Amino acid sequence: MSRLFSVFVAFVASFLLIGTAQAEVKVLTSIKPLQLIAAAVQDGVAIPEVLLPPGASPHNYALRPSDVRKVQSVDLLYWIGPDMEGFLPRVLGGRSLPSVAVQDLPGLKLRHFGADNHSHAEEADEHDHDHRPGSLDAHLWLSPANARVIADKMAADLSAADPANAQRYQSNAKAFDERLDALDQRLKKRLANVEGKPYFVFHEAFDYFEDAYGLKHAGVFAVAAEVQPGAQHVAAMRKRLQEVGKTCVFSEPPLRPRLAETLVAGLPVKLAELDALGGYTPATAQGYEQVLEKLGNDLAGCLESM
């Protein structure tokens, strides 16, 4: 009997050890770009989850009860910060497990909106994400340098939470860093021909990417993606389009602003899209690079066609 009991105890112990070894660290990110960076770090170990579905705005997303439960139960949560996901701080107050606002990470190169960016700030008085002069530009993931910092933090956190896979996380972060070097060279080559060409955006979301690759938009049509510009600003921007001549005006998916067609009617202007979030990009190790490469190709492709 004692021998059978010993065998039973050994079996249960081995089962528990296997279960512990296989228990993965559950990672949740607020938006797709952070999920893609986490996917690069967790490659071969697990697939991180993302809170916002494709097409949802990180500025004013309405959490469902299932979202709240997910936020409170995952092992590690990463979000940009209150300057981007204004809906999250209240929910995070009830969370006991680690949450990382990446905008606070040391080593990031952060940008702030300048005093000359918007002559129509009064149009966004009731919006949290209003790009006021001096406020943080929270679209920080569009800088490859910042993506490196975020990946290193994720690798450190995951290594501490899952020591058995620590070497894998660190090697994945190193591989991600090396791929970003290659991506940076490809983007510099791809965008060199359109450097200095004027173009316009509906929402000021691309300054980090522009700064990294020597680009600069010539005008912004809306203070934020959810805010329609006033008639005076629209008239001024149409006049600016007439002065520039052949150019591109970029909106962001999933919806083209209602005034887009009216704004460019009769002008040698092409309407196109730039996707800062990459909402439908598969969560693979190369997903982040795919988002930035598509952004560069879409921008250069439109400008080269004019």
Side-chain angles (χ1 to χ4, degrees):
M1 178 67 73
S2 60
R3 185 174 181 276
L4 287 175
F5 180 77
S6 298
V7 171
F8 175 76
V9 170
F11 173 78
V12 171
S14 63
F15 179 82
L16 290 174
L17 285 172
I18 292 172
T20 302
Q22 291 179 340
E24 67 182 46
V25 179
K26 293 189 179 298
V27 174
L28 176 68
T29 70
S30 58
I31 59 175
K32 172 63 75 168
L34 293 181
Q35 183 198 27
L36 298 178
I37 297 172
V41 177
Q42 288 190 285
D43 184 40
V45 180
I47 299 175
E49 294 185 80
V50 64
L51 187 62
L52 269 66
S57 169
H59 306 316
N60 56 11
Y61 181 66
L63 287 166
R64 301 166 297 180
S66 59
D67 294 329
V68 175
R69 290 193 295 271
K70 187 179 295 184
V71 165
Q72 294 177 346
S73 66
V74 294
D75 300 305
L76 292 170
L77 185 146
Y78 297 90
W79 60 308
I80 298 297
D83 290 273
M84 176 61 68
E85 307 97 327
F87 63 90
L88 263 182
R90 179 177 56 83
V91 181
L92 291 178
R95 178 176 160 80
S96 58
L97 294 165
S99 302
V100 178
V102 300
Q103 70 179 48
D104 297 328
L105 293 180
L108 290 180
K109 297 180 180 179
L110 298 177
R111 298 179 59 87
H112 292 78
F113 294 109
D116 60 343
N117 284 0
H118 304 288
S119 60
H120 52 300
E122 69 278 0
E123 296 169 11
D125 286 343
E126 297 181 0
H127 293 261
D128 292 330
H129 184 72
D130 56 15
H131 296 195
R132 290 187 178 281
S135 65
L136 176 70
D137 181 350
H139 306 86
L140 54 85
W141 67 87
L142 290 176
S143 162
N146 286 342
R148 298 175 198 270
V149 174
I150 296 168
D152 286 345
K153 170 61 174 171
M154 290 176 172
D157 291 346
L158 285 161
S159 296
D162 180 17
N165 287 304
Q167 187 173 354
R168 183 64 178 264
Y169 298 133
Q170 296 299 327
S171 64
N172 282 347
K174 182 179 179 181
F176 180 62
D177 187 74
E178 292 171 351
R179 292 199 307 273
L180 288 185
D181 285 338
L183 171 69
D184 187 58
Q185 293 305 310
R186 293 197 304 273
L187 285 172
K188 285 178 178 176
K189 183 177 180 180
R190 181 72 180 93
L191 295 165
N193 292 335
V194 298
E195 190 173 335
K197 285 194 174 185
Y199 60 92
F200 296 77
V201 294
F202 270 95
H203 171 215
E204 191 157 19
F206 305 99
D207 286 19
Y208 285 93
F209 187 82
E210 292 172 342
D211 183 60
Y213 297 105
L215 306 170
K216 179 60 182 173
H217 57 266
V220 181
F221 292 113
V223 67
E226 299 81 14
V227 183
Q228 288 295 313
Q232 183 177 357
H233 186 70
V234 171
M237 295 311 296
R238 182 169 169 81
K239 180 180 179 182
R240 180 81 177 105
L241 284 173
Q242 291 171 328
E243 294 170 349
V244 169
K246 291 183 178 180
T247 188
C248 294
V249 174
F250 295 101
S251 61
E252 295 170 71
L255 299 176
R256 179 169 288 174
R258 294 190 300 271
L259 62 85
E261 302 293 343
T262 302
L263 188 66
V264 304
L267 299 177
V269 174
K270 180 179 289 189
L271 291 172
E273 287 186 341
L274 294 178
D275 188 357
L277 288 169
Y280 290 96
T281 307
T284 66
Q286 292 78 30
Y288 175 82
E289 298 115 86
Q290 291 169 4
V291 170
L292 261 65
E293 193 137 35
K294 185 175 189 306
L295 188 63
N297 284 334
D298 289 346
L299 195 153
C302 185
L303 291 176
E304 288 169 349
S305 70
M306 298 305 293

